[in-house]
Amino acid sequence: VQLQASGGGLVQAGGSLRLSCTASDGPFKDFDMAWFRQAPGMEREFVAHIRWSGAAPYYPDSLERRFTISRDNTKKTLYLQINNLKPEDTGVYYCAAPRRPLYYYGDFYLASNYDYWGQGTQVTVSS
């Protein structure tokens, strides 16, 4: 499956963005999906995970409750809503899918567990 992320941009702190990730060339509805982000000079960081059905959205405890992952399988699209954006949210946001479901929460965090990646969309938050 090929993934393409979009929806990033330059926003002021306090604003909102909805990122999208559209799939092609594959059965999107069969894949669990996730979002990662990467700030300049930092490692890629896990942001959210969602099951193929849209159930069980999962976020790391360290992440504030400003992020919402969702999906529309009829549109082959994954979303990430980010509210009350902060400068520390700046980075490239990637969507990703594992070839097979990840069963343990700890596995969600590892970028190496994901086989398919979008090209990333840049989010820049100004203070």
Side-chain angles (χ1 to χ4, degrees), residues 13-125:
S16 297
L17 278 176
R18 188 175 78 159
L19 308 183
S20 299
C21 172
T22 302
S24 61
D25 296 334
F28 174 78
K29 64 179 178 61
D30 292 344
F31 291 98
D32 295 349
M33 297 291 298
W35 286 99
F36 283 75
R37 66 182 181 183
Q38 189 165 21
M42 304 293 286
E43 292 188 355
R44 200 163 291 191
E45 176 190 21
F46 170 72
V47 173
H49 178 278
I50 192 167
R51 292 298 184 192
W52 65 270
S53 63
Y58 178 88
Y59 312 91
D61 289 340
S62 60
L63 205 63
E64 297 180 37
R65 296 184 184 277
R66 300 181 289 110
F67 296 76
T68 303
I69 188 172
S70 62
R71 65 191 295 163
D72 184 338
N73 287 344
T74 65
K75 297 181 179 179
K76 293 188 174 183
T77 302
L78 174 75
Y79 302 102
L80 183 70
Q81 177 74 35
I82 315 174
N83 297 325
N84 190 22
L85 279 155
K86 300 181 178 182
E88 51 263 42
D89 294 322
T90 294
V92 179
Y93 284 70
Y94 298 91
C95 53
R99 184 174 291 115
R100 300 187 186 281
L102 304 174
Y103 290 103
Y104 301 103
Y105 292 145
D107 292 340
F108 293 174
Y109 291 73
L110 298 178
S112 59
N113 285 335
Y114 295 82
D115 302 286
Y116 307 106
W117 290 86
Q119 85 288 2
T121 185
Q122 175 71 46
V123 172
T124 303
V125 184

